[in-house]
Amino acid sequence: MNVLRKFSLARLVAMLVKEFTQMRRDKLTFGMMLGIPLMQLILFGFVINADPKHLATAVLLADQGPQGRTMLSAIRNSGYFDFVKVLQTEMEAEEALARGEVQFVVNIPAAFSRDLLRGDRPAILVEADATDPAATGNALGALRVLVRDALQHDLKGPLAALAGVDGPIELRIHPRYNPEAITQYNIIPGLMGVILTMTMIMITGLAITRERERGTMENLLSMPTRPLEVLAGKIIPYILVGYIQVGVILVAGYFLFGVPITGNVPLLFLAAFVFIVANLAMGITFSTIARNQLQAMQMAFFVFLPSILLSGFMFPFRGMPVWAQYLGEILPITHFLRIVRGIMLKGNGYAEVIHDLWPIALFGLVALVIAVKRYRRTLD
Amino acid sequence: MPEVTIDVRGMTKRFGHLTAVDQIDLQVCAGEICGFLGPNGSGKTTFIRMLCGLLRADAGSGRCLGYDVIRESEQIKRQVGYMTQRFSYYEDLSIIENLDFVARMYQVKNRRAAVAASLEKLGLSERRNQLAGNLSGGWKQRLALAACMIHEPKLLLLDEPTAGVDPKARRDFWEQIHQLAAAGLTCLIATHYMDEAERCHRLAYIGYGKLLTQGTVAEVIAHANLTTWEVTGPRLVELAERLRSAAGVQQAVAFGNTLHVSGDDAGALRRAIQPLRVAPYQWRETDSSLEDVFIHLMDQLPDNARS
Ligand SMILES: Nc1ncnc2c1ncn2[C@@H]1O[C@H](COP(=O)(O)OP(=O)(O)OP(=O)(O)O)[C@@H](O)[C@H]1O
Ligand SMILES: [Mg+2]
């Protein structure tokens, strides 16, 4: 009763009016409140695909006979495989897989048709990039069924006997890079990208706004400083922090989870440098745009969501719709994930890494230029 | 003709509809201490910020330390020591770290020696490692003052540097300012304290963005052309009440046991107080003080000019 008597409706109304007014003033928060659920709806509704189809596939067709082609069109018709490349040699296949250009290479050997007709049970060789077991699992399952049934039409009448018990064709699948389909192998290197993205953007995101909020900006601006000095001064200390995180994740991944580090560690550290700087630059750009620390945080969260969902961290990149893949390609983390997984699991070297390194560097550079341009030299 | 350190004309700054600084002309010579006065919200801070390039002027031109005040603020900043009205050093850095930061920013030669000397003069050598945020208000102010002088600027722009500072420290501060000025340092000091205003070589008084009067203390007082009577006696509050409504009386202000009654028309004021010049009241004509003049100036402003 006492509680109720102390409660004043008038004061509540006053509070409500004040809160609504403030909300209306803060356009960014308002936008975020709408934007985040919308984004989540779109992402969870359309992008997340537990059954990724249309995975990039390369073909190595050495067989001249009709059965080889029939086989290929059956594979394509399953909807899981998009033939994006025709290759001539094993070497090319190797490269395409290492770079992540294709998820699969389907290899139909030279004597396929002849051996089939002879009843020799020829083999189709499928090499799969199994770094991310979730991406390949369903496609390979479908392939097994398909190979068993594919030639049912062709093998009628006198050829029916060839169908045999195990099917007329042997399917040899080589899951590459992560043959035991251990998810940690995929997750741990991915976490490196996610953790760096989160912390690096957050740290510098608060940098300039904090100065403004505490009033120290007035002093800083009254001193003879250049924008780049201030910005770089806020970025550089955190590169070290980023490296500490990389170190911790590598050590934990190797000793705790047994994730192999097949590639070149110095190369990994070089790539991490570019990636860390790009994220810090993105954070500092937010910092120059946001009016206060809260806004800067909100902008950071605006990036976190796609970074987790569209980068290939949580869901197979190739399983996403094309527009989502384009969005993902813009994000530094998408490229960094490929680099880290490539170096750690595939043993990729400089030649493969460079394809994904320059987009990160470009992103960082653009962010930095925007930050320098946006940096306000006056209190206006 | 001494060298002119600040020579600006028509300085104007608008914030939306509000004209915070309106066509201010100001000249301050080298080695001069110029007091910058005006009621709250009159535009002192805004004007000072424009001088050191922290705000872009909407109109105005001129030179500061020989540089173009609009275009060459980078060069001006190097030689200016600006003390902000609100403490704006890093509360999460220690005293010495703050001083060191400033010294580095201005690329002070013999940095360590300069910082040590500054700490010594400030009397904070023992507490050098204390966080600036933990200092008392007055000490923060003194730290800020020391920090903005560490690079030996040629021009000091001080925005209420002694607000909250104890009398002894204020005296020391003014002592130091006068010594530096004698050596050629120019000072523009915003203040609300009358005793400090009286210590300045020259005053500039602004109200609602406009420069109302300037000159030496004597000139400012003479210019106001104010007549002031001092009265002692019982129940001064009631007396003041009666006087304020009388024509010719513009202010009646209590100063301890006396009342200062002023007006800018000497004849009208004399006629107004005539009926009250009876025992037990004792009347005496006196010099108008700076405060009488400033309050008078403030009252003269049209109400619609106030924000
Ligand atoms: N960034 C700003 N945006 C909008 N209005 C401002 C801004 N800065 C100052 N003003 C307005 O300009 C006017 C002058 O302010 P300023 O701070 O210069 O006054 P001041 O003379 O320093 O006052 P005080 O004695 O209280 O320090 C005030 O009305 C203030 O509200
Ligand atoms: Mg002020």
Side-chain angles (χ1 to χ4, degrees):
Chain A
M1 225 31 239
N2 213 7
V3 176
L4 268 181
R5 256 194 296 131
K6 277 181 188 161
F7 180 85
S8 148
L9 193 66
R11 280 202 298 261
L12 174 65
V13 172
M15 276 304 292
L16 289 175
V17 171
K18 166 190 156 298
E19 293 297 324
F20 274 115
T21 317
Q22 285 179 323
M23 190 162 76
R24 197 163 39 91
R25 296 269 153 74
D26 194 351
K27 295 257 161 39
L28 189 72
T29 304
F30 205 60
M32 287 285 170
M33 288 193 310
L34 284 173
I36 288 178
L38 268 179
M39 204 158 96
Q40 286 189 338
L41 270 179
I42 294 170
L43 295 179
F44 283 105
F46 300 121
V47 178
I48 296 162
N49 188 350
D51 186 17
K53 294 191 171 174
H54 301 288
L55 300 167
T57 305
V59 178
L60 226 163
L61 178 64
D63 182 56
Q64 302 297 326
Q67 279 78 7
R69 292 183 189 286
T70 315
M71 203 54 235
L72 279 184
S73 50
I75 291 174
R76 180 180 10 213
N77 290 342
S78 74
Y80 282 100
F81 305 89
D82 273 4
F83 294 159
V84 295
K85 238 183 168 161
V86 176
L87 305 172
Q88 305 302 330
T89 65
E90 274 291 332
M91 271 280 285
E92 289 175 348
E94 193 75 19
E95 267 173 36
L97 276 175
R99 278 199 208 141
E101 273 174 57
V102 295
Q103 193 93 37
F104 300 100
V105 175
V106 176
N107 186 345
I108 302 201
F112 180 82
S113 294
R114 192 197 65 203
D115 288 353
L116 182 73
L117 294 177
R118 275 197 201 158
D120 279 354
R121 205 160 180 267
I124 292 180
L125 183 68
V126 174
E127 293 186 83
D129 176 350
T131 319
D132 182 0
T136 49
N138 281 3
L140 291 177
L143 192 63
R144 284 194 191 93
V145 178
L146 192 144
V147 164
R148 205 183 55 218
D149 305 339
L151 298 176
Q152 295 292 7
H153 284 287
D154 287 21
L155 303 179
K156 276 190 195 138
L159 293 176
L162 293 178
V165 192
D166 307 325
I169 305 164
E170 183 192 353
L171 178 64
R172 263 188 238 150
I173 295 171
H174 282 183
R176 304 286 304 270
Y177 313 124
N178 182 5
E180 287 134 277
I182 299 171
T183 26
Q184 269 91 344
Y185 283 16
N186 192 46
I187 297 279
I188 304 291
L191 266 180
M192 190 187 292
V194 171
I195 290 171
L196 284 177
T197 301
M198 293 229 170
T199 48
M200 296 294 103
I201 294 180
M202 197 96 92
I203 284 172
T204 42
L206 300 179
I208 307 281
T209 40
R210 193 186 300 122
E211 297 264 359
R212 279 185 188 277
E213 264 175 57
R214 296 193 181 166
T216 53
M217 201 64 191
E218 181 173 7
N219 211 330
L220 196 58
L221 287 175
S222 77
M223 296 186 205
T225 49
R226 320 287 313 169
L228 200 58
E229 293 163 2
V230 176
L231 299 179
K234 288 184 175 289
I235 286 179
I236 291 164
Y238 297 110
I239 296 178
L240 202 71
V241 177
Y243 268 129
I244 293 171
Q245 292 182 333
V246 171
V248 168
I249 298 165
L250 277 182
V251 169
Y254 189 77
F255 290 104
L256 241 53
F257 300 100
V259 179
I261 305 177
T262 33
N264 186 335
V265 175
L267 180 63
L268 181 59
F269 273 83
L270 172 76
F273 177 82
V274 179
F275 181 63
I276 290 168
V277 172
N279 278 313
L280 291 172
M282 170 159 39
I284 209 116
T285 307
F286 292 165
S287 201
T288 55
I289 295 169
R291 301 217 148 262
N292 52 48
Q293 295 191 52
L294 184 66
Q295 284 194 352
M297 290 293 280
Q298 287 172 329
M299 289 168 118
F301 274 103
F302 205 74
V303 173
F304 293 163
L305 221 52
S307 288
I308 289 174
L309 300 177
L310 300 184
S311 62
F313 168 72
M314 213 162 197
F315 310 102
F317 191 78
R318 299 286 173 210
M320 304 190 306
V322 178
W323 62 265
Q325 291 191 23
Y326 277 122
L327 273 179
E329 294 282 358
I330 300 170
L331 298 169
I333 185 175
T334 307
H335 299 279
F336 186 65
L337 291 189
R338 286 185 204 145
I339 291 176
V340 183
R341 286 170 178 164
I343 293 176
M344 288 179 75
L345 306 178
K346 302 181 182 178
N348 281 354
Y350 181 78
E352 291 90 329
V353 164
I354 191 72
H355 287 285
D356 281 305
L357 201 55
W358 71 259
I360 304 178
L362 182 67
F363 186 98
L365 198 67
V366 170
L368 206 58
V369 169
I370 296 174
V372 171
K373 292 247 179 257
R374 289 276 330 187
Y375 180 82
R376 280 164 280 188
R377 292 179 192 210
T378 62
L379 294 171
D380 289 88
Chain B
M1 181 74 192
E3 199 184 321
V4 184
T5 307
I6 301 175
D7 183 9
V8 293
R9 279 164 217 287
M11 296 299 279
T12 300
K13 181 71 194 177
R14 294 184 203 95
F15 295 111
H17 300 297
L18 177 83
T19 306
V21 172
D22 194 358
Q23 301 278 344
I24 288 191
D25 302 345
L26 189 72
Q27 283 77 39
V28 183
C29 295
E32 206 170 36
I33 302 173
C34 179
F36 202 40
L37 299 110
N40 291 136
S42 55
K44 300 183 294 295
T45 301
T46 307
F47 179 79
I48 292 175
R49 283 175 172 170
M50 281 195 289
L51 277 188
C52 58
L54 282 174
L55 287 174
R56 254 186 293 270
D58 290 310
S61 64
R63 301 188 89 72
C64 185
L65 291 161
Y67 296 106
D68 189 292
V69 73
I70 308 294
R71 281 189 300 275
E72 294 176 311
S73 49
E74 291 302 318
Q75 285 91 323
I76 295 173
K77 281 177 188 178
R78 272 173 231 283
Q79 299 180 24
V80 165
Y82 171 46
M83 179 174 162
T84 56
Q85 183 169 0
R86 175 182 158 193
F87 183 73
S88 61
Y89 287 89
Y90 297 93
E91 304 218 333
D92 45 359
L93 291 189
S94 69
I95 294 165
I96 190 167
E97 285 162 347
N98 268 304
L99 291 172
D100 203 55
F101 171 73
V102 179
R104 277 177 201 274
M105 279 301 220
Y106 286 103
Q107 294 158 302
V108 172
K109 294 202 183 68
N110 298 326
R111 199 184 75 244
R112 277 166 204 283
V115 170
S118 174
L119 272 173
E120 196 63 42
K121 200 157 30 173
L122 192 60
L124 281 177
S125 294
E126 269 88 79
R127 292 157 71 186
R128 57 162 69 103
N129 291 320
Q130 189 179 336
L131 289 187
N134 295 340
L135 287 172
S136 74
W139 275 107
K140 276 185 189 166
Q141 209 72 354
R142 290 162 73 170
L143 167 63
L145 243 163
C148 79
M149 290 194 228
I150 204 161
H151 61 294
E152 298 179 352
K154 290 195 181 141
L155 169 64
L156 275 181
L157 301 173
L158 307 177
D159 200 347
E160 301 188 27
T162 56
V165 172
D166 67 52
K168 168 83 168 61
R170 264 173 63 189
R171 178 171 296 181
D172 292 348
F173 161 73
W174 278 97
E175 200 77 6
Q176 191 188 351
I177 291 290
H178 271 282
Q179 274 170 16
L180 290 168
L185 179 84
T186 313
C187 285
L188 183 65
I189 306 184
T191 180
H192 291 295
Y193 297 124
M194 288 307 126
D195 61 321
E196 293 194 345
E198 280 163 1
R199 291 182 187 205
C200 295
H201 296 132
R202 233 157 51 80
L203 301 176
Y205 186 90
I206 67 171
Y208 310 109
K210 293 195 174 64
L211 188 66
L212 298 180
T213 180
Q214 63 171 321
T216 62
V217 175
E219 281 167 1
V220 166
I221 292 175
H223 186 74
N225 197 21
L226 205 64
T227 311
T228 301
W229 288 79
E230 195 182 85
V231 53
T232 55
R235 293 203 293 271
L236 288 176
V237 177
E238 284 161 38
L239 182 68
E241 211 56 47
R242 279 182 65 186
L243 281 165
R244 278 192 196 111
S245 53
V249 176
Q250 278 154 338
Q251 13 167 331
V253 187
F255 279 87
N257 296 324
T258 67
L259 195 66
H260 282 204
V261 185
S262 355
D264 55 6
D265 183 337
L269 184 63
R270 189 180 289 273
R271 281 192 294 282
I273 64 173
Q274 199 55 46
L276 295 163
R277 293 181 74 174
V278 289
Y281 296 114
Q282 291 188 353
W283 291 83
R284 181 168 79 83
E285 194 170 346
T286 174
D287 292 335
S288 298
S289 70
L290 205 49
E291 182 157 325
D292 295 329
V293 171
F294 287 157
I295 292 172
H296 173 70
L297 284 170
M298 237 190 271
D299 288 341
Q300 295 298 293
L301 287 160
D303 273 346
N304 62 9
R306 300 182 190 187
S307 45

